[in-house]
Amino acid sequence: MLMRTESFRELDRLSQQLLGATGTWSRPSTMPMDAYRDGDVYVIALDLPGVPPEAIDIGIERNMLTVKAERRPVTGSDDARMDLSERPLGAFCRKVVLADTLDTARIEADYDAGVLTLRIPVTERAKPRKIAVGTGARHQELPS
């Protein structure tokens, strides 16, 4: 239902984790995701812990789904001094090429407990169906 187009994305993710790199808008970090089909709906779940819903931007152009988000540092006041910072900050982006068998006009998005869940219905033409077998009446010989 979706295609992986960025072959080095996983390598980028691992290097960002090792180096502690912060995502920027010109080079955003990736976000972990799961994707699966549940009946007639394709589900994509993306981890965005600590990101407020208003900082999430979801777009679709043709069959390219783009999810962007930003997580800023949280400090109590201007006098706060950071002693430890391990949580990823900055810009995050994930692009997913969706199959033509998904109804991108009817995508639903929910955000709960730091997980963005997108539900994309499968089109009618992509659903399994039975094909009736004819009795051969159409294939009778024509009179000469």
Side-chain angles (χ1 to χ4, degrees):
M1 290 291 171
L2 57 97
M3 299 183 317
R4 288 183 175 250
T5 58
E6 301 165 352
S7 40
F8 293 104
R9 184 61 106 174
E10 188 66 17
L11 185 60
D12 285 347
R13 185 186 66 77
L14 289 172
S15 64
Q16 286 174 353
Q17 282 181 341
L18 291 172
L19 300 174
T22 300
T24 63
W25 285 115
S26 61
R27 186 137 173 92
S29 298
T30 188
M31 55 193 86
M33 91 173 191
D34 291 333
Y36 57 93
R37 184 169 173 172
D38 185 9
D40 291 338
V41 176
Y42 200 72
V43 180
I44 297 175
L46 298 132
D47 285 347
L48 291 170
V51 175
E54 59 273 5
I56 300 172
D57 181 39
I58 305 167
I60 185 96
E61 185 175 340
R62 298 183 193 219
N63 286 5
M64 177 69 75
L65 173 74
T66 303
V67 179
K68 295 179 182 178
E70 183 176 16
R71 187 161 109 192
R72 296 181 178 268
V74 179
T75 56
S77 68
D78 291 337
D79 296 331
R81 184 183 64 135
M82 184 66 73
D83 288 331
L84 179 66
S85 179
E86 294 180 346
R87 297 171 27 188
L89 299 173
F92 300 88
C93 182
R94 192 69 185 243
K95 293 184 180 220
V96 179
V97 177
L98 302 175
D100 290 333
T101 57
L102 298 176
D103 189 352
T104 58
R106 295 182 20 215
I107 295 176
E108 294 178 4
D110 293 307
Y111 186 63
D112 184 40
V115 178
L116 175 65
T117 303
L118 303 171
R119 297 183 190 289
I120 312 164
V122 175
T123 59
E124 288 298 320
R125 65 184 164 90
K127 293 179 183 176
R129 57 190 163 94
K130 296 282 186 180
I131 306 296
V133 177
T135 60
R138 287 186 148 186
H139 301 290
Q140 293 177 347
E141 289 185 30
L142 296 174
S144 33

